[in-house]
C-alpha cells in the first residue's frame, strides 16, 4: 500500500502547484522522508524521492521545510547504497532540487557529492543527468562543494560523459 500511495503522490506532485500545497498541508513530508530509509521497496523510495524533488523545486521555503524535517541524511544514505539504480537516480533528482539556489541546503548536502560522482559512472542516461544536475546545484556558488566534487573525481567523470555523446540536457 505504501508503494502505491507514494506512486500516486508522485503523479500528483508532478502537476505542481496546488497538489504540492495539498501534500504539504496533509503532513506528507515526514512520511515521504521515512520511506527513503524504512521501505525495502526501491519503487517506494523512488516515488518518495520524486515527490520530494517536485516539492523542493517550487520554492526556497519548501526546500527549508523539507530540510528541517531531516530529509538530507536519508537522501544521502540512499544515494550511497547499492539499492536499485532507479531509487538512487530519483534521490539524485531530489538532491538537485533541494540544493538549487540555496546555500544552506548546498552546505548540508555536501556529503552527497561522492555518491553523486559514482552515479555518473552508471550506464543509465537519466541517472547520469540527475547526478550531473545535482552536482551542478551543489557546486554553483560553493567553493567548498566545488573542491569536494574535484576531490571525489567529478571532473574526470564529467569529462567522460562528454565523450559519450549523450544528448540529454542538464540545466542547473
Amino acid at each position: 500500500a505504501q508503494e502505491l500511495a507514494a506512486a500516486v503522490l508522485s503523479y500528483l506532485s508532478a502537476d505542481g502547484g496546488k497538489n504540492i500545497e495539498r501534500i504539504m498541508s496533509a503532513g506528507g513530508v515526514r512520511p515521504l522522508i521515512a520511506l527513503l530509509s524504512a521501505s525495502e521497496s526501491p519503487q517506494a523510495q523512488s516515488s518518495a524521492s520524486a515527490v520530494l524533488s517536485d516539492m523542493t523545486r517550487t520554492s526556497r521555503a519548501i526546500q527549508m521545510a523539507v530540510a528541517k524535517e531531516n530529509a538530507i541524511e536519508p537522501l544521502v544514505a540512499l544515494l550511497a547504497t547499492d539499492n536499485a539504480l532507479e531509487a538512487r537516480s530519483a534521490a539524485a533528482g531530489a538532491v538537485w532540487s533541494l540544493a538549487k539556489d540555496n546555500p544552506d541546503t548546498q552546505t548540508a548536502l555536501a556529503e552527497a557529492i561522492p555518491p553523486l560522482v559514482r552515479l555518473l559512472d552508471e550506464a543509465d542516461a537519466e541517472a547520469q543527468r540527475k547526478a550531473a544536475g545535482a552536482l551542478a546545484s551543489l557546486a554553483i556558488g560553493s567553493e567548498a562543494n566545488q573542491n569536494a566534487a574535484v576531490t571525489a573525481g567529478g571532473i574526470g567523470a564529467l569529462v567522460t560523459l562528454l565523450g559519450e555523446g549523450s544528448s540529454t540536457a542538464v540545466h542547473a
Side-chain angles (χ1 to χ4, degrees):
Q2 286 180 327
E3 188 174 295
L4 184 56
V8 172
L9 287 173
S10 75
Y11 298 132
L12 293 170
S13 68
D15 287 338
K18 293 205 181 291
N19 287 337
I20 288 173
E21 291 174 20
R22 290 175 181 136
I23 294 166
M24 295 279 297
S25 295
V29 173
R30 193 170 287 162
L32 287 165
I33 293 169
L35 278 180
L36 298 175
S37 53
S39 177
E40 293 182 17
S41 164
Q43 181 58 46
Q45 292 170 329
S46 178
S47 294
S49 293
V51 176
L52 292 170
S53 178
D54 291 339
M55 294 172 87
T56 56
R57 187 177 302 120
T58 61
S59 78
R60 182 175 283 201
I62 294 176
Q63 287 174 328
M64 296 310 294
V66 168
K68 285 180 184 172
E69 289 291 337
N70 300 314
I72 291 171
E73 185 178 327
L75 281 170
V76 173
L78 181 56
L79 277 170
T81 66
D82 288 331
N83 283 9
L85 179 60
E86 177 185 8
R88 290 182 290 129
S89 176
V95 169
W96 184 355
S97 296
L98 190 56
K100 187 167 177 62
D101 300 324
N102 190 327
D104 294 325
T105 57
Q106 282 178 320
T107 300
L109 283 161
E111 290 182 30
I113 293 170
L116 287 167
V117 170
R118 287 190 297 276
L119 197 55
L120 293 173
D121 292 332
E122 293 288 346
D124 181 88
E126 185 66 8
Q128 292 169 339
R129 184 184 74 80
K130 288 180 179 178
L135 287 168
S137 282
L138 288 165
I140 292 172
S142 172
E143 187 174 341
N145 284 354
Q146 291 170 17
N147 291 336
V150 169
T151 301
I155 290 178
L158 291 164
V159 169
T160 298
L161 285 181
L162 291 175
E164 292 179 1
S166 175
S167 63
T168 306
V170 174
H171 303 283

